[in-house]
Amino acid sequence: MSTIEKDSVTGTATTGHEWDGIKELNNPLPRWWLWVLLATVAWSIGYWVVYPAWPVPGLGTTRGAIGYSSRVDHENELKAAKSLQAGMLTKIAAATPEQIAADPEMRAFALAGGRSAFQLYCSQCHGTGAAGAAGYPNLNDDDWIWGGKLDEIYRTLRYGVRWPNDDTRMSDMPAFLADGVLKPNQIDDVADYVLGLSGQKADAQAAERGKTVFAENCAACHGETGKGNLEVGAPNLTDGIWLYGGDRNAIIASVRYSRKGVMPAWEGKLDAATIKTLAVYVHALGGGK
Amino acid sequence: MNDATQVAQANEERVTPVNKPTVRSLYRARVKVHPRLVPGFYRRLKWIAMAAMLAIYYLAPWLRWDRGPNAPGQAILIDFPERKFYFFFIEIWPQEVYFLTGILIMMAIGLFAVTASFGRIWCGYACPQTVWTDLFIQVERLIEGDRNARMRLDAAPMSASKLGKRALKYAVFLVISMATGGAWVLYFADAPTLAHQLVTFEAPYAAYAAVAFLTASTFVLGGLAREQVCTYMCPYARFQAAMLDEHSLIVAYRADRGEPRGKHKKGDSWEGHGDCVDCDSCVAVCPTGIDIRDGQQLECINCGLCADACDAVMDRVGRPRGLIGIDSLANVTARKQGLPAATRIFRTRTLIYIGIWCAVGLFMLGTLLLRNDIDVNTLRDRNPLFVTLTDGSIRNGYTVHIINKQHAERPLTLSVDGLPSARVNVLGDSGTAAGAKVTVPADGVGEFKVFVTAPRDSVKTESTGIHFIVREADGRVSASRGSSFRGPSR
C-alpha cells in the first residue's frame, strides 16, 4: 500500500498522477452527481429494452418491448384526425354547395378544408393565392368565363375545361389565321376594334374596318357588344381583365391561333366532399357571384 | 421544561453554531439545525405573519367576484385555456402581459426598498420558504419535543417509539404538503369545482400532476432542506450585499455592551464584565444555525428570534434588554467608537427606490384605467396584393380581428378612412355606405374577411395609407388601426 500524497498548499489528496511536476488533486465529483450519472446509465439500458434502439441488419432496428414506433404514432394521429372529420365530411358530401355555404359550421369546415385542398391540387396553375397567371384565370376577381355562381364553379371543378368527358366546359374559338378564315390585315383591324371595346388606345380607322369583321366572325359568341357569353365560355372583351394578355400583340395572337387552355376534371380524382369544399373556397375568395 | 433549566442546561453544554462564519467545506454533510422555541415579541410577530400568509394563500382562491354572466366569478383566477388573468376588478388579456412585467418590476423595486430600509424582513417573515419551514419546525416540535428532546431522539437508536414519532411527523408533513399543492391549483380553475373534482378523483390529469409536484417540492424544500434553501439555493441571500448598506436595519449583537462576555454567577459584580453571559441561547434558537454575535452573516434571515432569546436572559440576570436587537451597521461602528447611534430609514437611496416604485405604480394604474375595452388588428392579404375587378376598380383583402373585452355581444360598424369612395364589405355581405356591419361575440375575438374596393381613379399611388375605423352602435369611434391599400403602379 502506498501512502496517499497530500498537496502541501491545499492539503487535498493527490491522485498520484504527475505531468511535468504538476500533480492532479483528487477532488471527486459530488456523490449526488455521480448517482445521477449512474441513474441515467441505468435508465438508458431500460430504454434500449422498451423502445426501438439498436440497428439490426435485415430488421432495421430492434422492435422494443412495447412495440412503439413514431410512424405508427403518426398513422394513429392521422386516423384519429380522419375519424374526427368523418362526420362532417359525410354531411358535406351529401349537401349541395349552396347548402354548405349557408350552414355556418359546414362553411367554416369547407373553407379550411378547401384552402388546404386548393394548395394541394390547384395552386400549381392558379397560384397559392389563386391570383392565376397568363392562361390561368385569377379566381379572386369577379370575371368568370364559365360563371361565378357556386354551382357553376362546382361544375367546372367536376368536369374541367376541354377535358375528355361529356360534361366538360368546351369552347372552340377558331384559329382565324391558321384555319384560313381571316387574312392577317383583317385580324389586325379586329384587334384594334377589340382594343377599343375595352377602352384602350386604338387606331380609329382600323377599328372601324374591324367592326365589320367582328360582327361577321366574333359576335356570334362574344356578342354584338363584345360582352361575352357565359353559356359558351366566350370571355367578356370589354373589361380590363385578360386571360392571355390585353395588349395588341396578345390579342392578335389569340385571334390568329386561338387559345385552348385546359383544366382537368376532378370528378373521379377527388371525392365529392373535397370538390364541394373547393367550390365553396373558390367562391369565397371574393369574386363569387 | 422552563426557561431557567434551559439556560442552566445551556450553561453546562456549549452550543456550537451549525453554520460558523469560518470557511466550510462544500463537501461537508449537513448538520441538522434544531431551533428551540422561545416566546417573545419577534416570535409573536412571526406567528402573526405566518397566520396572515397562510390565510391569504389558502383563502384567496375561494373569494368570489361578480363579473356578470359571461365571465368567471372567481376573484383571483389564472385562466390558462382562455389565456386570461383575473384579479378582482382587473382583467388581463394575453396581449396585456406587460402588466405582469410592471408587477414584477414593482415587486423587485419594492424588495430593494424594504431591504435597504429594514433588512431581510422578507426573508424572516413573508417568504414562503420561511413560513412553511417555520410551520414544519413547529410540527416537529409538537411531535418530537423541543430542541434537546429532538437532538436526543436523533442520537437515539431506532426504536418503536422513535419510529412512531418519525412516521407521525412525516405523515403530518405530507398532509401539509398536499394541502399546499392542492391550494396552488385552485388559482387556475374554479376553486369549488376543482376542489370537488380533486377529492372525487375526477380532476384533470394536469391538476393531479401539479398537486404532486407541489407536494414534493413543499415536502423537500420546507420539510427537509429548510435553511439550506436560503443558504445555498436562494440567490437573494447572495445579492443582499448589494441591497444592504450601513444604515439598513439588521439584527445585530451590541458588542460594545456585551463584551467581554463570560459566565456570570448571581450576586457577582458586573464590573469588568460585559452583559453577555455566554449562555448561547441566541445560537440555540436560530433557525439558520448561526451565532449572531459573529456579526452580519449571509445565513441570517433577520427573523429576530435571537433577540427574543437574549431579552429573556437579560430579564433574568437583571440587565437591560436589547443586547441583541434591531440595529444598523453604522450604529454598531458608532457605538464601538463611543459615538451616538441614530437610525435613518429615509435616505437618498430609499427615497429613490420609493420614487421609482410610485412612478411605475402610477404608470401602471394609469394604463389600467385608460385602456380600451376594444381593439382591432388587421392583416392585409399579400397574395395577391390586389385584385382588379371587371369594372376596373381595385380590391384589397384583409383579415380583421376585433377584440371585444365587454361581457356582452357587440354590434359594430367597420369603415375605412383615407381612401375616398372606397366601399368596405365583409365576405358574403355587400356592405353599406357607412361600412360593414359586424358583430363580435361577448368577451371574445371576431375574425372577419374584409374587402375594400376603390374605383381605379381614386387609387393614386402604389400604396395608400388607410385606417380601419370601428364604430359603436351609437356612432362613437371606439378603435382604429392603420393599414395600407395597394394598387397597380402608375
Side-chain angles (χ1 to χ4, degrees):
Chain A
M1 276 298 273
S2 60
T3 51
I4 293 167
E5 192 188 349
K6 288 210 169 186
D7 175 49
S8 56
V9 181
T10 58
T12 310
T14 70
T15 57
H17 304 151
E18 185 181 331
W19 293 273
D20 299 336
I22 299 170
K23 285 172 186 167
E24 187 184 36
L25 300 187
N26 187 12
N27 285 317
L29 289 172
R31 211 35 78 75
W32 66 264
W33 201 100
L34 197 63
W35 282 117
V36 171
L37 175 69
L38 293 176
T40 58
V41 171
W43 178 267
S44 73
I45 293 167
Y47 207 93
W48 295 341
V49 176
V50 175
Y51 286 97
W54 289 94
V56 177
L59 188 64
T61 61
T62 52
R63 287 279 177 258
I66 59 167
Y68 174 83
S69 144
S70 54
R71 174 185 286 268
V72 172
D73 238 22
H74 178 244
E75 279 166 5
N76 287 342
E77 277 176 29
L78 282 183
K79 254 185 242 163
K82 284 230 166 70
S83 74
L84 271 178
Q85 294 175 347
M88 191 50 93
L89 285 174
T90 318
K91 213 172 146 189
I92 284 178
T96 66
E98 282 82 5
Q99 285 167 337
I100 298 167
D103 178 79
E105 204 189 356
M106 275 201 280
R107 185 169 183 271
F109 187 92
L111 287 178
R115 170 187 290 274
S116 147
F118 188 90
Q119 301 306 324
L120 208 52
Y121 304 112
C122 315
S123 64
Q124 291 84 348
C125 293
H126 290 285
T128 52
Y136 304 104
N138 183 344
L139 305 176
N140 291 285
D141 62 32
D142 58 347
D143 187 34
W144 300 90
I145 296 167
W146 294 103
K149 295 202 178 70
L150 253 175
D151 60 337
E152 290 167 339
I153 296 171
Y154 179 51
R155 196 192 140 189
T156 308
L157 273 161
R158 284 174 81 184
Y159 303 114
V161 178
R162 296 186 191 89
W163 199 254
N165 65 55
D166 292 342
D167 296 302
T168 196
R169 302 291 198 181
M170 177 64 84
S171 67
D172 201 3
M173 173 165 150
F176 284 95
L177 181 71
D179 294 350
V181 183
L182 295 174
K183 305 234 156 31
N185 63 324
Q186 288 178 298
I187 292 174
D188 290 352
D189 291 345
V190 88
D192 270 302
Y193 177 70
V194 170
L195 281 171
L197 281 180
S198 57
Q200 301 186 70
K201 216 159 76 180
D203 181 335
Q205 283 183 338
E208 193 54 40
R209 289 196 299 275
K211 187 177 181 179
T212 329
V213 181
F214 187 88
E216 286 169 0
N217 296 282
C218 315
C221 292
H222 290 285
E224 295 288 334
T225 52
K227 288 208 178 291
N229 185 352
L230 293 180
E231 295 292 315
V232 294
N236 183 349
L237 303 176
T238 62
D239 62 23
I241 298 169
W242 298 87
L243 184 53
Y244 294 94
D247 61 30
R248 191 185 167 85
N249 285 342
I251 293 170
I252 288 173
S254 295
V255 179
R256 282 182 168 187
Y257 307 112
S258 181
R259 308 275 191 178
K260 298 265 179 352
V262 169
M263 171 172 145
W266 293 100
E267 182 114 311
K269 292 194 192 73
L270 300 177
D271 58 58
T274 307
I275 299 177
K276 282 172 186 170
T277 60
L278 276 171
V280 173
Y281 173 72
V282 169
H283 186 259
L285 283 169
K289 299 278 184 182
Chain B
M1 199 186 291
N2 61 37
D3 284 351
T5 49
Q6 270 183 1
V7 172
Q9 262 191 0
N11 277 337
E12 280 154 28
E13 43 180 297
R14 290 310 307 266
V15 180
T16 327
V18 163
N19 293 317
K20 284 194 277 285
T22 49
V23 175
R24 304 188 292 270
S25 166
L26 288 173
Y27 299 96
R28 186 188 68 151
R30 183 212 184 190
V31 181
K32 198 173 179 204
V33 180
H34 295 280
R36 169 186 296 147
L37 179 66
V38 62
F41 173 73
Y42 296 107
R43 181 64 264 179
R44 202 169 317 122
L45 222 67
K46 255 174 96 68
W47 287 136
I48 294 168
M50 185 205 276
M53 296 300 158
L54 292 177
I56 291 171
Y57 179 68
Y58 285 106
L59 298 181
W62 298 90
L63 295 176
R64 302 288 100 185
W65 191 267
D66 187 21
R67 294 189 184 85
N70 294 318
Q74 187 156 318
I76 303 171
L77 178 67
I78 300 160
D79 191 345
F80 272 129
E82 292 285 323
R83 287 163 180 79
K84 281 176 200 164
F85 173 56
Y86 299 94
F87 187 83
F88 296 94
F89 67 98
I90 302 171
E91 193 179 321
I92 291 177
W93 283 49
Q95 60 271 38
E96 292 165 334
V97 77
Y98 54 83
F99 279 114
L100 186 66
T101 314
I103 288 168
L104 288 175
I105 292 173
M106 286 181 74
M107 280 166 72
I109 302 286
L111 196 62
F112 296 164
V114 167
T115 306
S117 308
F118 307 108
R120 290 171 64 183
I121 54 165
W122 164 261
C123 294
Y125 292 87
C127 175
Q129 176 64 25
T130 275
V131 170
W132 262 264
T133 298
D134 220 15
L135 183 65
F136 281 119
I137 289 176
Q138 184 60 17
V139 169
E140 200 167 77
R141 202 175 269 141
L142 291 173
I143 294 170
E144 297 183 347
D146 209 348
R147 175 180 163 85
N148 294 342
R150 295 209 299 275
M151 289 169 83
R152 274 199 304 277
L153 189 72
D154 271 9
M158 186 52 77
S159 65
S161 147
K162 181 170 175 175
L163 191 68
K165 279 180 178 173
R166 284 283 143 94
L168 177 62
K169 178 178 86 172
Y170 288 126
V172 176
F173 279 12
L174 196 63
V175 170
I176 293 174
S177 301
M178 283 173 73
T180 309
W184 177 264
V185 296
L186 298 183
Y187 286 88
F188 298 87
D190 184 55
T193 316
L194 183 61
H196 184 260
Q197 286 175 336
L198 278 173
V199 295
T200 53
F201 299 104
E202 287 164 345
Y205 163 76
Y208 287 112
V211 171
F213 181 81
L214 265 293
T215 302
S217 64
T218 310
F219 192 94
V220 171
L221 298 181
L224 306 178
R226 296 185 185 172
E227 83 290 343
Q228 296 175 95
V229 174
C230 314
T231 309
Y232 299 109
M233 289 166 70
C234 181
Y236 181 51
R238 294 297 144 101
F239 61 74
Q240 62 153 325
M243 293 191 213
L244 292 176
D245 59 31
E246 67 276 20
H247 294 294
S248 308
L249 295 183
I250 52 165
V251 174
Y253 165 65
R254 286 187 54 182
D256 61 310
R257 232 188 87 186
E259 300 300 323
R261 69 179 87 154
K263 302 290 173 206
H264 181 268
K265 281 212 179 66
K266 204 165 185 180
D268 283 3
S269 156
W270 287 94
E271 196 62 44
H273 196 293
D275 283 353
C276 177
V277 295
D278 213 6
C279 65
D280 289 337
S281 278
C282 54
V283 181
V285 298
C286 180
T288 65
I290 59 166
D291 185 344
I292 192 67
R293 294 169 299 175
D294 292 331
Q296 178 66 4
Q297 294 155 68
L298 73 83
E299 289 91 349
C300 179
I301 56 170
N302 241 33
C303 64
L305 294 182
C306 49
D308 281 347
C310 192
D311 283 349
V313 173
M314 288 299 108
D315 287 353
R316 204 163 322 104
V317 299
R319 304 298 292 174
R321 287 182 162 209
L323 179 58
I324 298 174
I326 303 292
D327 210 347
S328 67
L329 289 173
N331 287 353
V332 170
T333 317
R335 287 201 177 93
K336 263 186 202 153
Q337 296 162 349
L339 299 170
T343 302
R344 289 175 57 208
I345 299 290
F346 294 104
R347 310 184 294 279
T348 317
R349 180 177 177 193
T350 53
L351 289 175
I352 289 173
Y353 283 146
I354 294 167
I356 297 175
W357 193 87
C358 291
V360 175
L362 283 174
F363 177 76
M364 296 238 310
L365 191 69
T367 321
L368 191 70
L369 293 177
L370 293 176
R371 73 184 169 149
N372 210 338
D373 64 357
I374 188 166
D375 198 8
V376 57
N377 283 304
T378 62
L379 195 64
R380 212 178 61 75
D381 286 358
R382 289 167 186 280
N383 183 13
L385 277 174
F386 62 89
V387 175
T388 309
L389 300 181
T390 44
D391 62 2
S393 55
I394 308 294
R395 193 189 72 202
N396 277 207
Y398 302 82
T399 304
V400 175
H401 289 108
I402 300 177
I403 300 156
N404 175 20
K405 295 176 193 172
Q406 282 179 356
H407 303 310
E409 203 177 64
R410 206 156 170 177
L412 300 162
T413 309
L414 186 68
S415 59
V416 157
D417 196 18
L419 199 62
S421 58
R423 200 181 80 240
V424 182
N425 73 299
V426 175
L427 182 61
D429 176 76
S430 56
T432 65
K437 301 274 183 206
V438 294
T439 304
V440 186
D443 224 358
V445 182
E447 183 184 313
F448 305 99
K449 179 77 199 176
V450 173
F451 295 113
V452 177
T453 313
R456 181 75 181 82
D457 296 336
S458 68
V459 185
K460 303 271 190 258
T461 50
E462 223 172 308
S463 177
T464 312
I466 59 167
H467 274 87
F468 278 93
I469 309 286
V470 176
R471 280 193 173 80
E472 300 291 325
D474 60 10
R476 182 173 58 88
V477 173
S478 54
S480 74
R481 175 71 64 179
S483 187
S484 66
F485 186 92
R486 298 295 290 253
S489 53
R490 293 252 169 189

